[in-house]
Amino acid sequence: MRTIRGLWRWRHNPLRRTTDLVEAWLALGALLAILLVAPVIGTLAGLSAQEDLQRSVREQRESRHPVTATVIRELDPEPQDIDPETTSRETRTRVLAHWTAPDGTDHRARLLAHLDTAGPRDRFTMWTDDHGRPVTRPLDPATATTHAVLAGFGATVLAACVVEGARRLVVRRMVLRRYARWDQAWDRAGPDWGRTGTGS
């Protein structure tokens, strides 16, 4: 609103310079771009991210399978197994486990099981690919949507920052040119401008 009032005030002001009017129009254009264009860019980016992420969810659901693994024995934990991010949320125990893959092949490997304590013949659910290799849990549709929303919001903020940064850059160049013209005008006026008897 201040920008619009400023434009209206500068319309017929006798002290108005061309650069003042350009700055006011730049501010109005940047404001409209931030309010109208940036949200559109964010929406398009979010929709694109949502489409890609949901496709990834479908692909992971098709290629990853939950299987039941059986503990053969519990293993001693290794220092690299301790992840501060996961230990606060869930308990994981290092075990030697056996499972049957979706293609019918038998597998045995060392794994991190979601068990407080693991004894022989304890069972837990794990995710594998079509050939029985351990993989991470597939992406959840709700999590994918959250990531898409965050991507859209980030794109909106980034677009707004680009618009405002461009406006500030243009205004800064205009101000520097204005200062340069003032310096030239002062140089033409001479060092004695304003003194009594100057030019006599």
Side-chain angles (χ1 to χ4, degrees), residues 53-103:
L53 287 169
Q54 292 301 335
R55 185 184 318 113
S56 179
V57 166
R58 288 190 298 275
E59 290 171 357
Q60 288 182 12
R61 292 256 177 214
E62 291 171 4
S63 63
R64 300 181 185 190
H65 312 281
V67 298
T68 301
T70 304
V71 175
I72 298 172
R73 73 173 188 273
E74 184 175 354
L75 302 174
D76 293 331
E78 294 184 3
Q80 61 267 27
D81 291 339
I82 299 171
D83 184 359
E85 189 173 314
T86 57
T87 51
S88 61
R89 283 185 268 140
E90 55 192 23
T91 304
R92 302 180 80 177
T93 305
R94 188 172 174 80
V95 298
L96 178 64
H98 169 268
W99 68 94
T100 302
D103 63 2

Side-chain angles (χ1 to χ4, degrees), residues 10 13-23 178 182:
W10 278 113
N13 192 318
L15 298 177
R16 183 202 74 201
R17 297 167 295 195
T18 304
T19 55
D20 295 326
L21 197 57
V22 170
E23 282 183 38
R178 184 185 304 154
W182 283 353

